[in-house]
Amino acid sequence: MGGSDGVLELTGLRRTYGDVVALDGLSFTVPPGQVFGFLGPNGAGKTTAMRAIVGVASLDGGTVRWNGAPIDQDARRRIGYMPEERGLYPSMRVAEQLEYLARLHGLDQARARSAARYWAGRLGLAGHEQAKVEALSLGNQQRVQLAAALVHQPDLLVLDEPFSGLDPVGVDAMSDVLAERAAAGVTMLFSSHQLDLVEHLCTSVAIIHRGALVAGGTVDELSRGGQLRVAVRVAGDDRAQWTGGVAGFATVVGVADGTATLALTRREDAQAVLDVARRAGPVEQFGFERRRLSEVFRDVVGAEVDEGGTVGAGVAARAGGGGSAGGAGGAGGGTGGGLSGVAGREASR
Protein backbone atom coordinates (compact mmCIF):
# COMPACT_ATOMS: atom_id res chain seq x y z
CA MET A 1 0.00 0.00 0.00
CA GLY A 2 1.16 3.51 -0.73
CA GLY A 3 1.75 6.03 2.05
CA SER A 4 -1.36 8.00 1.04
CA ASP A 5 -3.78 5.07 0.81
CA GLY A 6 -6.92 5.90 2.75
CA VAL A 7 -5.57 9.17 4.15
CA LEU A 8 -7.90 12.19 4.06
CA GLU A 9 -6.00 15.49 3.91
CA LEU A 10 -7.50 18.95 4.42
CA THR A 11 -5.01 21.68 3.56
CA GLY A 12 -5.57 25.42 3.96
CA LEU A 13 -9.36 25.32 3.54
CA ARG A 14 -10.89 28.79 3.23
CA ARG A 15 -14.53 29.77 2.85
CA THR A 16 -16.33 33.02 3.51
CA TYR A 17 -20.01 33.95 3.45
CA GLY A 18 -20.07 37.70 2.97
CA ASP A 19 -18.19 39.13 5.94
CA VAL A 20 -18.29 35.86 7.87
CA VAL A 21 -15.20 33.65 7.75
CA ALA A 22 -16.41 30.06 7.99
CA LEU A 23 -13.08 28.35 7.25
CA ASP A 24 -9.81 30.14 7.91
CA GLY A 25 -6.93 28.07 6.58
CA LEU A 26 -8.16 24.82 8.14
CA SER A 27 -5.66 21.95 7.86
CA PHE A 28 -5.53 18.48 9.38
CA THR A 29 -5.12 14.84 8.34
CA VAL A 30 -7.38 11.87 9.02
CA PRO A 31 -5.64 8.47 8.84
CA PRO A 32 -7.56 5.31 7.92
CA GLY A 33 -8.46 2.60 10.39
CA GLN A 34 -9.50 4.72 13.35
CA VAL A 35 -12.48 6.71 14.58
CA PHE A 36 -11.48 10.37 14.21
CA GLY A 37 -13.47 13.05 16.05
CA PHE A 38 -14.11 16.50 14.61
CA LEU A 39 -14.95 18.96 17.38
CA GLY A 40 -15.78 22.62 17.81
CA PRO A 41 -18.46 24.92 19.20
CA ASN A 42 -21.57 25.78 17.21
CA GLY A 43 -20.60 27.79 14.16
CA ALA A 44 -16.94 26.74 14.23
CA GLY A 45 -17.03 25.56 10.60
CA LYS A 46 -17.37 21.79 11.03
CA THR A 47 -20.37 21.33 8.74
CA THR A 48 -18.89 23.65 6.10
CA ALA A 49 -15.69 21.58 6.09
CA MET A 50 -17.61 18.30 5.85
CA ARG A 51 -19.73 19.59 3.01
CA ALA A 52 -16.55 20.65 1.21
CA ILE A 53 -15.11 17.15 1.60
CA VAL A 54 -18.09 15.54 -0.11
CA GLY A 55 -18.33 18.22 -2.79
CA VAL A 56 -21.60 19.93 -1.88
CA ALA A 57 -19.96 23.17 -0.71
CA SER A 58 -17.40 25.13 -2.69
CA LEU A 59 -14.17 26.51 -1.27
CA ASP A 60 -12.49 29.87 -1.76
CA GLY A 61 -9.12 28.22 -1.30
CA GLY A 62 -7.32 25.11 -0.11
CA THR A 63 -7.47 21.48 -1.14
CA VAL A 64 -9.14 18.25 -0.04
CA ARG A 65 -7.27 15.09 -0.98
CA TRP A 66 -8.04 11.44 -0.35
CA ASN A 67 -5.74 8.58 -1.31
CA GLY A 68 -3.24 11.24 -2.37
CA ALA A 69 -5.49 12.83 -5.02
CA PRO A 70 -8.27 15.42 -5.21
CA ILE A 71 -11.72 13.93 -4.62
CA ASP A 72 -13.51 13.54 -7.94
CA GLN A 73 -16.94 12.16 -8.78
CA ASP A 74 -15.70 8.57 -8.98
CA ALA A 75 -14.14 8.89 -5.53
CA ARG A 76 -17.38 10.32 -4.14
CA ARG A 77 -19.14 7.07 -5.02
CA ARG A 78 -17.01 5.49 -2.28
CA ILE A 79 -17.94 8.09 0.36
CA GLY A 80 -20.71 7.64 2.89
CA TYR A 81 -22.05 11.01 4.03
CA MET A 82 -24.50 11.55 6.87
CA PRO A 83 -25.68 15.17 7.16
CA GLU A 84 -26.76 16.53 10.53
CA GLU A 85 -30.27 17.33 9.35
CA ARG A 86 -32.51 14.75 7.72
CA GLY A 87 -31.61 14.07 4.09
CA LEU A 88 -34.09 11.27 3.47
CA TYR A 89 -37.25 10.94 1.39
CA PRO A 90 -39.89 11.01 4.16
CA SER A 91 -42.61 9.24 2.16
CA MET A 92 -40.41 6.35 0.98
CA ARG A 93 -40.33 3.06 2.84
CA VAL A 94 -37.10 2.23 4.66
CA ALA A 95 -36.09 -0.83 2.61
CA GLU A 96 -37.04 0.83 -0.67
CA GLN A 97 -35.02 3.91 0.18
CA LEU A 98 -31.89 2.05 1.24
CA GLU A 99 -32.01 -0.15 -1.85
CA TYR A 100 -32.46 2.91 -4.07
CA LEU A 101 -29.47 4.67 -2.53
CA ALA A 102 -27.32 1.57 -2.87
CA ARG A 103 -28.24 1.36 -6.57
CA LEU A 104 -27.25 5.01 -7.05
CA HIS A 105 -23.81 4.15 -5.70
CA GLY A 106 -23.34 1.36 -8.23
CA LEU A 107 -24.65 -1.82 -6.59
CA ASP A 108 -26.76 -4.14 -8.69
CA GLN A 109 -30.30 -4.92 -7.58
CA ALA A 110 -29.50 -8.16 -5.75
CA ARG A 111 -26.56 -6.67 -3.84
CA ALA A 112 -28.50 -3.50 -3.08
CA ARG A 113 -31.42 -5.46 -1.66
CA SER A 114 -29.10 -7.62 0.41
CA ALA A 115 -27.20 -4.61 1.75
CA ALA A 116 -30.43 -2.78 2.61
CA ARG A 117 -31.68 -5.80 4.54
CA TYR A 118 -28.34 -6.23 6.33
CA TRP A 119 -27.96 -2.64 7.50
CA ALA A 120 -31.59 -2.36 8.56
CA GLY A 121 -31.06 -5.34 10.82
CA ARG A 122 -27.59 -4.28 11.97
CA LEU A 123 -28.86 -0.90 13.12
CA GLY A 124 -31.92 -2.14 14.95
CA LEU A 125 -34.51 -1.44 12.25
CA ALA A 126 -35.72 -5.01 11.82
CA GLY A 127 -39.49 -4.94 11.58
CA HIS A 128 -39.51 -1.37 10.29
CA GLU A 129 -38.32 -2.07 6.74
CA GLN A 130 -41.75 -1.43 5.22
CA ALA A 131 -42.48 1.66 7.32
CA LYS A 132 -42.31 5.10 5.77
CA VAL A 133 -39.46 7.19 7.15
CA GLU A 134 -41.85 9.93 8.27
CA ALA A 135 -43.70 7.41 10.46
CA LEU A 136 -40.56 6.51 12.44
CA SER A 137 -39.36 8.05 15.68
CA LEU A 138 -36.55 10.59 15.40
CA GLY A 139 -34.11 8.04 16.78
CA ASN A 140 -35.07 5.44 14.18
CA GLN A 141 -34.89 8.06 11.44
CA GLN A 142 -31.33 8.67 12.59
CA ARG A 143 -30.61 4.95 12.28
CA VAL A 144 -31.98 5.00 8.71
CA GLN A 145 -29.77 7.98 7.96
CA LEU A 146 -26.68 6.07 9.08
CA ALA A 147 -27.79 3.00 7.14
CA ALA A 148 -28.06 5.23 4.05
CA ALA A 149 -24.44 6.29 4.55
CA LEU A 150 -23.26 2.68 5.00
CA VAL A 151 -25.38 0.73 2.54
CA HIS A 152 -22.85 0.86 -0.32
CA GLN A 153 -19.87 -0.19 1.87
CA PRO A 154 -17.99 3.13 1.57
CA ASP A 155 -14.25 3.49 2.12
CA LEU A 156 -14.62 7.00 3.61
CA LEU A 157 -17.29 7.98 6.12
CA VAL A 158 -18.13 11.62 6.84
CA LEU A 159 -20.72 11.78 9.62
CA ASP A 160 -22.15 15.03 10.96
CA GLU A 161 -23.59 14.54 14.48
CA PRO A 162 -24.46 10.84 13.98
CA PHE A 163 -25.46 10.35 17.63
CA SER A 164 -27.99 13.17 17.72
CA GLY A 165 -31.40 12.04 18.97
CA LEU A 166 -30.35 8.48 19.85
CA ASP A 167 -31.23 6.76 23.12
CA PRO A 168 -28.47 4.88 25.03
CA VAL A 169 -29.21 1.64 23.17
CA GLY A 170 -28.94 3.46 19.85
CA VAL A 171 -25.70 5.13 20.93
CA ASP A 172 -24.21 1.74 21.81
CA ALA A 173 -25.32 0.22 18.50
CA MET A 174 -23.91 3.10 16.47
CA SER A 175 -20.66 3.13 18.46
CA ASP A 176 -20.19 -0.57 17.73
CA VAL A 177 -20.76 0.00 14.01
CA LEU A 178 -18.28 2.89 13.83
CA ALA A 179 -15.62 0.93 15.70
CA GLU A 180 -16.25 -2.06 13.43
CA ARG A 181 -15.91 -0.02 10.25
CA ALA A 182 -12.74 1.65 11.50
CA ALA A 183 -11.25 -1.75 12.34
CA ALA A 184 -12.02 -2.77 8.74
CA GLY A 185 -9.76 0.06 7.52
CA VAL A 186 -12.40 2.67 6.66
CA THR A 187 -11.35 6.32 6.93
CA MET A 188 -13.82 8.01 9.27
CA LEU A 189 -14.48 11.60 10.30
CA PHE A 190 -17.40 12.38 12.58
CA SER A 191 -18.50 15.44 14.50
CA SER A 192 -20.20 15.48 17.86
CA HIS A 193 -20.87 17.75 20.81
CA GLN A 194 -20.91 14.75 23.18
CA LEU A 195 -17.31 14.97 24.33
CA ASP A 196 -17.43 12.09 26.81
CA LEU A 197 -18.61 9.83 23.99
CA VAL A 198 -15.88 11.14 21.67
CA GLU A 199 -13.26 10.54 24.36
CA HIS A 200 -14.41 6.94 24.73
CA LEU A 201 -14.76 6.17 21.03
CA CYS A 202 -12.07 8.12 19.20
CA THR A 203 -8.36 7.49 18.78
CA SER A 204 -7.67 11.03 17.57
CA VAL A 205 -9.48 14.34 17.30
CA ALA A 206 -9.22 17.75 15.65
CA ILE A 207 -10.68 20.74 17.51
CA ILE A 208 -11.52 23.84 15.49
CA HIS A 209 -12.67 27.33 16.43
CA ARG A 210 -13.57 30.20 14.12
CA GLY A 211 -12.72 28.04 11.12
CA ALA A 212 -9.15 27.17 12.17
CA LEU A 213 -7.50 24.25 13.94
CA VAL A 214 -6.75 25.04 17.59
CA ALA A 215 -5.80 21.57 18.87
CA GLY A 216 -5.32 18.10 17.45
CA GLY A 217 -3.71 14.75 18.08
CA THR A 218 -4.52 11.51 19.79
CA VAL A 219 -6.91 11.64 22.73
CA ASP A 220 -4.11 10.22 24.87
CA GLU A 221 -1.68 12.98 23.86
CA LEU A 222 -4.20 15.71 24.52
CA SER A 223 -5.17 14.27 27.91
CA ARG A 224 -1.52 14.28 29.00
CA GLY A 225 -0.93 17.86 27.92
CA GLY A 226 -1.39 21.01 29.94
CA GLN A 227 -0.53 21.54 33.59
CA LEU A 228 0.25 18.42 35.63
CA ARG A 229 -2.32 17.53 38.25
CA VAL A 230 -2.55 15.05 41.11
CA ALA A 231 -5.54 13.68 42.97
CA VAL A 232 -4.97 13.10 46.70
CA ARG A 233 -7.19 11.88 49.51
CA VAL A 234 -6.21 11.84 53.18
CA ALA A 235 -8.25 9.62 55.50
CA GLY A 236 -10.58 11.51 57.83
CA ASP A 237 -10.21 14.86 56.06
CA ASP A 238 -13.36 15.19 53.97
CA ARG A 239 -12.76 18.90 53.34
CA ALA A 240 -9.09 18.38 52.36
CA GLN A 241 -7.95 20.97 54.86
CA TRP A 242 -4.45 19.54 54.64
CA THR A 243 -4.06 21.34 51.31
CA GLY A 244 -3.42 24.57 53.21
CA GLY A 245 0.19 23.45 53.39
CA VAL A 246 0.84 23.19 49.65
CA ALA A 247 0.95 26.91 48.84
CA GLY A 248 3.96 27.81 46.71
CA PHE A 249 4.27 24.57 44.78
CA ALA A 250 0.69 23.49 44.05
CA THR A 251 -2.75 25.04 43.52
CA VAL A 252 -6.01 23.46 44.61
CA VAL A 253 -8.23 22.98 41.56
CA GLY A 254 -11.12 21.43 43.44
CA VAL A 255 -12.26 19.10 46.22
CA ALA A 256 -14.87 16.37 45.78
CA ASP A 257 -15.79 13.85 48.49
CA GLY A 258 -12.53 14.50 50.30
CA THR A 259 -10.34 14.02 47.20
CA ALA A 260 -8.35 17.13 46.35
CA THR A 261 -7.19 17.83 42.81
CA LEU A 262 -4.05 19.98 42.70
CA ALA A 263 -2.24 21.60 39.79
CA LEU A 264 1.54 21.35 40.04
CA THR A 265 4.10 23.94 39.07
CA ARG A 266 6.65 21.19 38.32
CA ARG A 267 6.51 17.38 38.22
CA GLU A 268 9.01 17.24 41.10
CA ASP A 269 6.49 19.05 43.29
CA ALA A 270 4.40 15.90 43.43
CA GLN A 271 6.73 14.54 46.11
CA ALA A 272 6.34 17.70 48.19
CA VAL A 273 2.53 17.39 47.95
CA LEU A 274 2.74 13.75 49.05
CA ASP A 275 4.93 14.71 52.02
CA VAL A 276 2.36 17.30 53.16
CA ALA A 277 -0.46 14.79 52.79
CA ARG A 278 1.41 12.12 54.79
CA ARG A 279 1.99 14.52 57.66
CA ALA A 280 -1.78 15.12 57.77
CA GLY A 281 -2.73 11.43 58.02
CA PRO A 282 -2.96 8.13 56.12
CA VAL A 283 -2.99 8.75 52.33
CA GLU A 284 -5.79 6.72 50.76
CA GLN A 285 -5.33 7.98 47.22
CA PHE A 286 -2.48 9.60 45.31
CA GLY A 287 -2.00 9.69 41.55
CA PHE A 288 -1.53 11.84 38.50
CA GLU A 289 -4.75 12.87 36.79
CA ARG A 290 -5.38 12.97 33.08
CA ARG A 291 -7.30 15.87 31.62
CA ARG A 292 -10.73 15.06 30.29
CA LEU A 293 -11.37 15.93 26.66
CA SER A 294 -14.00 18.41 27.85
CA GLU A 295 -11.27 20.25 29.78
CA VAL A 296 -9.00 20.34 26.74
CA PHE A 297 -11.90 21.68 24.69
CA ARG A 298 -12.70 24.35 27.25
CA ASP A 299 -9.06 25.43 27.43
CA VAL A 300 -8.60 25.90 23.68
CA VAL A 301 -12.07 27.14 22.75
CA GLY A 302 -13.56 28.69 25.86
CA ALA A 303 -17.01 27.18 25.23
CA GLU A 304 -19.18 25.98 28.07
CA VAL A 305 -19.26 22.22 28.62
CA ASP A 306 -21.90 20.79 30.97
CA GLU A 307 -21.31 18.04 33.50
CA GLY A 308 -22.33 15.42 30.97
CA GLY A 309 -19.52 16.46 28.64
CA THR A 310 -21.81 18.14 26.11
CA VAL A 311 -20.75 21.38 24.43
CA GLY A 312 -23.08 24.27 25.23
CA ALA A 313 -23.60 27.59 23.57
CA GLY A 314 -20.75 29.36 25.33
CA VAL A 315 -19.51 30.66 22.01
CA ALA A 316 -22.02 32.38 19.76
CA ALA A 317 -22.82 30.55 16.54
CA ARG A 318 -21.29 32.05 13.45
CA ALA A 319 -23.46 32.24 10.35
CA GLY A 320 -22.18 30.06 7.56
CA GLY A 321 -19.73 28.04 9.69
CA GLY A 322 -22.57 25.84 10.84
CA GLY A 323 -24.15 25.76 7.40
CA SER A 324 -27.23 23.63 7.06
CA ALA A 325 -26.50 19.98 6.63
CA GLY A 326 -29.94 19.75 5.14
CA GLY A 327 -28.61 21.97 2.39
CA ALA A 328 -26.10 19.26 1.69
CA GLY A 329 -28.93 16.85 1.20
CA GLY A 330 -30.61 19.30 -1.12
CA ALA A 331 -27.47 19.77 -3.15
CA GLY A 332 -27.18 16.02 -3.37
CA GLY A 333 -30.72 15.58 -4.59
CA GLY A 334 -32.43 15.83 -1.20
CA THR A 335 -31.80 12.21 -0.35
CA GLY A 336 -30.20 10.23 2.45
CA GLY A 337 -26.44 10.42 2.64
CA GLY A 338 -26.49 13.75 0.82
CA LEU A 339 -24.58 12.26 -2.11
CA SER A 340 -27.28 10.24 -3.80
CA GLY A 341 -28.25 12.99 -6.20
CA VAL A 342 -24.60 13.40 -7.21
CA ALA A 343 -24.27 9.65 -7.68
CA GLY A 344 -27.51 9.58 -9.62
CA ARG A 345 -26.41 12.31 -12.02
CA GLU A 346 -23.13 10.51 -12.59
CA ALA A 347 -24.86 7.16 -13.04
CA SER A 348 -27.15 8.62 -15.70
CA ARG A 349 -24.29 9.88 -17.82
Short mmCIF file of all heavy atoms in Angstrom, two decimals, residues 89-94 128 130-138 140-141 144:
data_model
loop_
_atom_site.label_atom_id
_atom_site.label_comp_id
_atom_site.label_asym_id
_atom_site.label_seq_id
_atom_site.Cartn_x
_atom_site.Cartn_y
_atom_site.Cartn_z
N TYR A 89 -35.92 10.76 1.96
CA TYR A 89 -37.25 10.94 1.39
C TYR A 89 -38.27 10.49 2.44
O TYR A 89 -38.40 9.29 2.72
CB TYR A 89 -37.42 10.10 0.12
CG TYR A 89 -36.65 10.60 -1.07
CD1 TYR A 89 -35.68 9.80 -1.67
CD2 TYR A 89 -36.90 11.87 -1.59
CE1 TYR A 89 -34.98 10.25 -2.79
CE2 TYR A 89 -36.20 12.32 -2.70
CZ TYR A 89 -35.24 11.52 -3.29
OH TYR A 89 -34.55 11.98 -4.37
N PRO A 90 -39.01 11.39 3.04
CA PRO A 90 -39.89 11.01 4.16
C PRO A 90 -41.00 10.04 3.79
O PRO A 90 -41.43 9.24 4.62
CB PRO A 90 -40.45 12.35 4.65
CG PRO A 90 -40.29 13.29 3.50
CD PRO A 90 -39.05 12.84 2.78
N SER A 91 -41.48 10.08 2.53
CA SER A 91 -42.61 9.24 2.16
C SER A 91 -42.19 7.89 1.59
O SER A 91 -43.05 7.05 1.28
CB SER A 91 -43.50 9.96 1.14
OG SER A 91 -42.77 10.25 -0.04
N MET A 92 -40.88 7.64 1.46
CA MET A 92 -40.41 6.35 0.98
C MET A 92 -40.29 5.36 2.13
O MET A 92 -40.00 5.74 3.27
CB MET A 92 -39.05 6.48 0.28
CG MET A 92 -39.11 7.06 -1.12
SD MET A 92 -37.47 7.08 -1.92
CE MET A 92 -37.28 5.33 -2.31
N ARG A 93 -40.50 4.10 1.83
CA ARG A 93 -40.33 3.06 2.84
C ARG A 93 -38.84 2.81 3.07
O ARG A 93 -38.02 3.02 2.18
CB ARG A 93 -41.05 1.78 2.41
CG ARG A 93 -42.54 2.00 2.19
CD ARG A 93 -43.28 0.71 1.88
NE ARG A 93 -44.67 1.01 1.49
CZ ARG A 93 -45.65 1.27 2.35
NH1 ARG A 93 -45.39 1.27 3.65
NH2 ARG A 93 -46.87 1.53 1.93
N VAL A 94 -38.50 2.37 4.26
CA VAL A 94 -37.10 2.23 4.66
C VAL A 94 -36.33 1.34 3.70
O VAL A 94 -35.28 1.72 3.17
CB VAL A 94 -37.01 1.68 6.11
CG1 VAL A 94 -35.56 1.34 6.46
CG2 VAL A 94 -37.58 2.68 7.10
N HIS A 128 -39.10 -2.70 10.76
CA HIS A 128 -39.51 -1.37 10.29
C HIS A 128 -39.21 -1.18 8.80
O HIS A 128 -39.38 -0.08 8.28
CB HIS A 128 -38.78 -0.28 11.08
CG HIS A 128 -39.10 -0.26 12.54
ND1 HIS A 128 -40.30 0.21 13.04
CD2 HIS A 128 -38.37 -0.65 13.61
CE1 HIS A 128 -40.29 0.10 14.36
NE2 HIS A 128 -39.13 -0.41 14.74
N GLN A 130 -40.66 -1.87 6.10
CA GLN A 130 -41.75 -1.43 5.22
C GLN A 130 -42.45 -0.16 5.73
O GLN A 130 -43.43 0.29 5.14
CB GLN A 130 -42.77 -2.56 5.06
CG GLN A 130 -42.19 -3.81 4.41
CD GLN A 130 -41.49 -3.50 3.09
OE1 GLN A 130 -42.04 -2.78 2.23
NE2 GLN A 130 -40.27 -4.02 2.93
N ALA A 131 -41.92 0.41 6.80
CA ALA A 131 -42.48 1.66 7.32
C ALA A 131 -41.95 2.84 6.53
O ALA A 131 -40.81 2.83 6.06
CB ALA A 131 -42.13 1.82 8.79
N LYS A 132 -42.78 3.87 6.38
CA LYS A 132 -42.31 5.10 5.77
C LYS A 132 -41.41 5.83 6.78
O LYS A 132 -41.66 5.79 7.98
CB LYS A 132 -43.48 6.00 5.37
CG LYS A 132 -44.32 5.42 4.23
CD LYS A 132 -45.42 6.38 3.82
CE LYS A 132 -46.21 5.82 2.64
NZ LYS A 132 -47.30 6.74 2.24
N VAL A 133 -40.41 6.50 6.27
CA VAL A 133 -39.46 7.19 7.15
C VAL A 133 -40.18 8.19 8.04
O VAL A 133 -39.88 8.31 9.24
CB VAL A 133 -38.36 7.88 6.32
CG1 VAL A 133 -37.50 8.78 7.20
CG2 VAL A 133 -37.49 6.84 5.62
N GLU A 134 -41.15 8.91 7.50
CA GLU A 134 -41.85 9.93 8.27
C GLU A 134 -42.65 9.35 9.43
O GLU A 134 -43.01 10.08 10.36
CB GLU A 134 -42.77 10.74 7.35
CG GLU A 134 -43.87 9.92 6.69
CD GLU A 134 -44.62 10.70 5.63
OE1 GLU A 134 -44.28 11.88 5.42
OE2 GLU A 134 -45.53 10.11 4.99
N ALA A 135 -42.93 8.05 9.39
CA ALA A 135 -43.70 7.41 10.46
C ALA A 135 -42.82 6.93 11.60
O ALA A 135 -43.33 6.50 12.63
CB ALA A 135 -44.50 6.24 9.90
N LEU A 136 -41.49 6.99 11.43
CA LEU A 136 -40.56 6.51 12.44
C LEU A 136 -40.29 7.56 13.50
O LEU A 136 -40.44 8.77 13.27
CB LEU A 136 -39.24 6.10 11.79
CG LEU A 136 -39.30 4.98 10.75
CD1 LEU A 136 -37.92 4.76 10.15
CD2 LEU A 136 -39.82 3.68 11.37
N SER A 137 -39.84 7.12 14.66
CA SER A 137 -39.36 8.05 15.68
C SER A 137 -38.11 8.75 15.17
O SER A 137 -37.45 8.28 14.23
CB SER A 137 -39.04 7.29 16.96
OG SER A 137 -37.92 6.44 16.76
N LEU A 138 -37.75 9.86 15.81
CA LEU A 138 -36.55 10.59 15.40
C LEU A 138 -35.30 9.73 15.54
O LEU A 138 -34.40 9.78 14.70
CB LEU A 138 -36.41 11.87 16.21
CG LEU A 138 -37.47 12.95 15.96
CD1 LEU A 138 -37.22 14.15 16.86
CD2 LEU A 138 -37.47 13.37 14.50
N ASN A 140 -35.12 6.42 15.27
CA ASN A 140 -35.07 5.44 14.18
C ASN A 140 -34.80 6.10 12.84
O ASN A 140 -34.18 5.50 11.96
CB ASN A 140 -36.37 4.64 14.14
CG ASN A 140 -36.39 3.52 15.16
OD1 ASN A 140 -35.34 3.06 15.62
ND2 ASN A 140 -37.57 3.08 15.55
N GLN A 141 -35.26 7.34 12.66
CA GLN A 141 -34.89 8.06 11.44
C GLN A 141 -33.38 8.26 11.38
O GLN A 141 -32.77 8.17 10.31
CB GLN A 141 -35.61 9.41 11.40
CG GLN A 141 -37.09 9.31 11.11
CD GLN A 141 -37.75 10.67 11.00
OE1 GLN A 141 -37.12 11.65 10.63
NE2 GLN A 141 -39.03 10.74 11.35
N VAL A 144 -31.83 5.12 10.16
CA VAL A 144 -31.98 5.00 8.71
C VAL A 144 -30.95 5.87 8.01
O VAL A 144 -30.34 5.47 7.01
CB VAL A 144 -33.40 5.37 8.25
CG1 VAL A 144 -33.52 5.31 6.73
CG2 VAL A 144 -34.44 4.47 8.89
#
